[in-house]
């Protein structure tokens, strides 16, 4: 990817304005370009049971879901907002592509009864539990700039697990929200991307100054 800076941690890189990295693992899947509806592009598995929608200019930029049958409603859904680095989305789409290719329908597996299974990569990377509201569990990254909220028993919350990064704000906060029936290994794969030390390549002019100020490293490209 062409860029003039590399950002670490990658979850503070923000979105470059396009989703190429997130679509790369499923580049070989059917692409459907739509003229109407909320999504400009929908990429599906060959059997149409996995759907990856790209809204282009909406706040909820990505809608990713899986269903038991091509014409049935989704069993689970992940919503990714417009500030989320596509490198984080790529971890989810890559795992979905692997699951589909394996032919075992693991992308429809029931989630683990143990909440810790879905965030094991975060605990291994030193993320620690923080104060949480009743019925939820929260972990935060060592730098305090990313976290996860897991809904254990609250019925007033629609989400099951939400990964977030960056300070609150329409132009800063990145969020990946999973519904309760999302397989634990898919959440874990996405969570692992938050701990990946690989920098995110960006053009300096596209970076949000507030995120740049919080980043641990901003290395100039050699190009």
């Amino acid at each position: 990817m062409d860029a003039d800076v590399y950002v670490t941690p990658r979850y503070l890189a923000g979105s470059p304005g396009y989703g190429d990295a997130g679509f790369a693992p499923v580049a070989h899947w059917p692409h459907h370009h739509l003229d109407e509806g909320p999504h400009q592009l929908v990429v599906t598995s060959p059997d149409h049971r996995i759907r990856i929608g790209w809204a282009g200019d909406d706040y909820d930029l990505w809608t990713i879901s899986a269903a038991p049958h091509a014409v049935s409603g989704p069993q689970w859904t992940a919503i990714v907002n417009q500030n989320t680095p596509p490198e984080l989305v790529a971890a989810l789409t890559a795992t979905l592509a692997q699951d589909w290719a394996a032919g075992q329908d693991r992308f429809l597996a029931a989630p683990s009864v143990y909440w810790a299974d879905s965030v094991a990569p975060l605990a291994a990377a030193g993320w620690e539990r923080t104060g949480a509201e009743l019925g939820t569990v929260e972990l935060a990254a060592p730098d305090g700039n990313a976290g996860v909220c897991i809904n254990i028993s609250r019925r007033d919350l629609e989400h099951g697990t939400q990964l977030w990064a960056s300070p609150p704000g329409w132009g800063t906060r990145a969020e990946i929200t999973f519904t309760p029936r999302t397989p634990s290994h898919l959440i874990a794969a996405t969570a692992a991307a938050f701990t990946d030390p690989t920098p995110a390549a960006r053009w300096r002019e596209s970076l949000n100054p507030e995120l740049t100020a919080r980043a641990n490293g901003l290395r100039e490209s050699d190009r």
Side-chain angles (χ1 to χ4, degrees):
M1 173 181 173
D2 288 336
D4 57 9
V5 293
Y6 293 91
V7 184
T8 53
R10 58 189 355 208
Y11 53 72
L12 291 178
S15 172
Y18 45 85
D20 294 14
F23 283 116
V26 292
H28 56 296
W29 281 5
H31 286 48
H32 311 274
H33 296 273
L34 308 178
D35 295 326
E36 298 181 359
H39 298 107
Q40 300 175 3
L41 171 67
V42 177
V43 175
T44 65
S45 57
D47 61 5
H48 290 255
R49 292 191 296 156
I50 299 173
R51 303 157 195 152
I52 304 168
W54 167 262
D57 56 2
D58 199 354
Y59 180 77
D60 292 330
L61 192 57
W62 305 76
T63 301
I64 302 171
S65 64
H69 307 286
V71 295
S72 61
Q75 179 169 305
W76 61 264
T77 300
I79 302 293
V80 184
N81 79 350
Q82 93 285 9
N83 298 318
T84 303
E87 293 86 352
L88 304 181
V89 180
L92 174 57
T93 56
T95 306
L96 286 171
Q98 293 166 6
D99 283 359
W100 188 87
Q104 301 298 315
D105 286 5
R106 194 178 180 212
F107 57 87
L108 294 173
S112 171
V113 297
Y114 303 106
W115 63 262
D117 289 344
S118 63
V119 294
L122 304 181
W127 290 37
E128 297 183 346
R129 291 185 66 167
T130 61
E133 296 182 1
L134 184 66
T136 67
V137 173
E138 295 188 25
L139 283 76
D143 65 1
N145 288 318
V148 61
C149 177
I150 306 164
N151 180 8
I152 303 299
S153 60
R154 285 185 56 178
R155 296 184 178 181
D156 60 318
L157 297 178
E158 294 184 1
H159 73 263
T161 300
Q162 183 179 79
L163 289 156
W164 60 267
S166 309
W170 186 89
T172 51
R173 176 61 63 94
E175 295 176 345
I176 304 177
T177 305
F178 298 92
T179 54
R181 297 179 67 189
T182 305
S184 299
H185 76 284
L186 296 178
I187 299 175
T190 310
F194 279 69
T195 69
D196 188 336
T198 306
R202 293 289 186 271
W203 292 105
R204 181 181 290 275
E205 63 184 16
S206 72
L207 296 176
N208 184 299
E210 191 169 356
L211 301 186
T212 302
R214 291 171 178 258
N216 294 331
L218 195 66
R219 179 171 59 85
E220 299 289 338
S221 170
D222 296 329
R223 66 186 301 276

